[in-house]
Amino acid sequence: MPRIAHAVEEVLGEAIALRRDIHQHPELSFREFRTTEQIIAALQRHGLNPHRLESTGAWVDIGSGPIVLGIRADIDALPVKEETGLPYASVHDGIAHACGHDIHTAVCLGTAITLHRLLMQQTMVPVDHLDLTGRIRVIFQPAEEKLPGGSLEVIRQGVLQDVPRIIALHADPSFNVGTIGTRIGAITSATDTIRVTLTGRGGHTSRPQQTQDVVYALAQIAAQVPAILGRRIDVRSGAQLTWGHIQAGHAPNAIPATGQLAGTLRTLDVDAWDSASELLDEVIGNVAAPFGVKVQLEHIRGVPPVVNNEAEMDLIEDATRFELGSRTIELASQSMGGEDFAWMTKQVPGAMFRLGTRTPSGPTYDLHQGDYNPDERAIGVGMQIFTQAALRALVGAA
């Protein structure tokens, strides 16, 4: 296998320029019209034939023959005010690429162009002695930030049809640039929204026995249900119910007739995620029953966990070792955050790795924050890994 650092370097400037352009013009989920056009125009300039998705987003094939690998990027931004002070900071107030999707997009665009030049023009690295018959499909997916996620649209429109395996990355400011984080098995959590509404007979706080006390019932649900779930669901699943909102009443001496409780249910196990809805309904009903209140449970399914398959993770790690050395790979912790790439890994075997974006000895940022400022050198690192992984997939499928 040839090393492709030089090939990546030839394309890196264009990838960084695209990243800065879409960073300056971020677009929310399913509104990524300009972003989609910029991606398509860049691919077409290099002689590629990209295809638009029905709403926003695009995909492109590189090579010829059967598809051997899919590579996915997400392209949407967040409703977050940017606070980086960069010369290419967002021009749209209240919208920013605070999750690194501009990095993801630039990496995948650069990978597509680099692969095309390697396979079709072979101008930079001599790969003609290798049998590289096959196609790599690069997918620029919309709306990762809008549950249940734009990847379902990609699947519905048949873009994963005949894709035998797929890989992706996510920017991670907890890893230094030049390193990646990998893990076999669940790397992200299933993420659901839970809303509980209680209704009952309100009244004066001096006579609670004449009421159906929704405030006290809400308090019991808030305290008891997470603990009960911890005894009803296998602890190895990592199930976690956390409340983020509780509201009932307005006056200190009046028991209200209605109240609401809302939070998130997260789990690292697909089976636990599948069975949680029925169990949650049972547990909440049992806790609320002694108070005589009416219970309305709304369980909004989000995304399943991303479960990394061993073969695809091996592909990523082998490519990384070859290009960057074995010391660049670290163990990624499991995240309780959600990621809609999970729908794709339920469809075909796949894996996602963490791409380090922290400048060594520099400040540590967090995702979904307005000051997130990733080190752009991560783009070249991601391009090397994806391009090398694609070449290996082509060779392995020959």
Side-chain angles (χ1 to χ4, degrees):
M1 293 297 300
R3 285 187 171 83
I4 43 80
H6 177 66
V8 165
E9 189 66 28
E10 293 291 326
V11 179
L12 182 57
E14 184 173 356
I16 291 174
L18 176 90
R19 181 259 164 164
R20 294 184 178 186
D21 180 82
I22 64 174
H23 185 93
Q24 192 170 30
H25 301 90
E27 297 172 301
L28 296 176
S29 300
F30 290 124
R31 302 179 190 174
E32 312 96 330
F33 300 106
R34 184 184 183 280
T35 301
T36 299
E37 293 307 314
Q38 294 297 98
I39 292 166
I40 288 173
L43 294 169
Q44 289 176 335
R45 284 196 299 270
H46 287 271
L48 286 159
N49 182 32
H51 304 267
R52 286 178 177 83
L53 293 171
E54 289 177 7
S55 55
T56 52
W59 59 272
V60 65
D61 285 348
I62 301 98
S64 60
I67 302 169
V68 301
L69 180 70
I71 301 175
R72 171 267 200 181
D74 38 9
I75 66 174
D76 56 330
L78 282 162
V80 171
K81 181 177 178 61
E82 180 159 353
E83 299 172 349
T84 64
L86 291 167
Y88 48 89
S90 171
V91 298
H92 302 310
D93 188 43
I95 305 175
H97 271 290
C99 197
H101 294 186
D102 52 338
I103 297 290
H104 306 174
T105 303
V107 168
C108 282
L109 179 89
T111 297
I113 294 170
T114 302
L115 279 171
H116 177 65
R117 296 179 70 179
L118 288 173
L119 300 181
M120 307 305 291
Q121 301 174 20
Q122 298 183 7
T123 58
M124 295 173 290
V125 178
V127 296
D128 54 300
H129 64 286
L130 299 174
D131 184 357
L132 298 179
T133 301
R135 275 184 292 157
I136 305 297
R137 178 161 291 178
V138 182
I139 302 166
F140 299 90
Q141 176 215 304
E144 189 276 331
E145 299 290 354
K146 186 177 179 64
L147 293 177
S151 64
L152 287 175
E153 278 299 300
V154 173
I155 294 167
R156 183 187 67 79
Q157 294 176 43
V159 179
L160 282 195
Q161 187 174 350
D162 300 323
V163 175
R165 58 201 307 206
I166 192 164
I167 58 176
L169 58 78
H170 201 295
D172 193 326
S174 70
F175 289 98
N176 284 340
V177 67
T179 65
I180 69 167
T182 65
R183 171 179 285 273
I184 296 170
I187 193 170
T188 68
S189 169
T191 305
D192 293 354
T193 298
I194 308 299
R195 292 195 178 97
V196 181
T197 301
L198 301 185
T199 54
R201 185 173 60 252
H204 201 283
T205 56
S206 65
R207 295 179 291 276
Q209 73 279 5
Q210 296 179 5
T211 72
Q212 295 164 320
D213 193 340
V214 299
V215 174
Y216 197 78
L218 282 171
Q220 296 306 307
I221 291 172
Q224 292 187 40
V225 172
I228 294 171
L229 290 179
R231 293 298 181 269
R232 294 288 302 275
I233 298 177
D234 191 329
V235 294
R236 293 171 296 181
S237 72
Q240 174 183 293
L241 175 62
T242 305
W243 305 110
H245 168 82
I246 185 167
Q247 187 277 325
H250 301 284
N253 62 345
I255 295 173
T258 186
Q260 294 82 33
L261 186 64
T264 59
L265 176 64
R266 303 173 188 270
T267 178
L268 298 166
D269 181 78
V270 174
D271 290 338
W273 183 67
D274 286 337
S275 63
S277 184
E278 183 177 347
L279 177 60
L280 195 63
D281 186 62
E282 174 195 336
V283 171
I284 289 176
N286 287 341
V287 172
F291 306 99
V293 295
K294 181 180 178 181
V295 180
Q296 179 184 348
L297 171 62
E298 186 180 10
H299 185 171
I300 303 169
R301 300 284 270 176
V303 294
V306 173
V307 180
N308 285 336
N309 196 50
E310 185 173 0
E312 283 63 52
M313 190 53 72
D314 285 346
L315 177 67
I316 291 167
E317 291 186 350
D318 288 347
T320 303
R321 289 189 191 96
F322 188 79
E323 289 294 323
L324 305 171
S326 59
R327 293 188 177 182
T328 60
I329 302 173
E330 302 178 23
L331 179 64
S333 60
Q334 292 175 310
S335 169
M336 297 308 289
E339 163 61 66
D340 83 333
F341 181 62
W343 294 117
M344 295 188 180
T345 59
K346 277 179 71 76
Q347 193 84 3
V348 298
M352 167 178 280
F353 71 93
R354 302 293 187 184
L355 178 69
T357 64
R358 180 177 61 199
T359 302
S361 303
T364 298
Y365 300 98
D366 197 5
L367 298 174
H368 286 221
Q369 299 300 307
D371 64 347
Y372 177 49
N373 184 17
D375 191 319
E376 287 185 324
R377 289 176 294 177
I379 296 173
V381 174
M383 288 170 59
Q384 279 186 257
I385 295 169
F386 271 166
T387 304
Q388 181 63 231
L391 293 177
R392 289 170 178 267
L394 288 165
V395 171

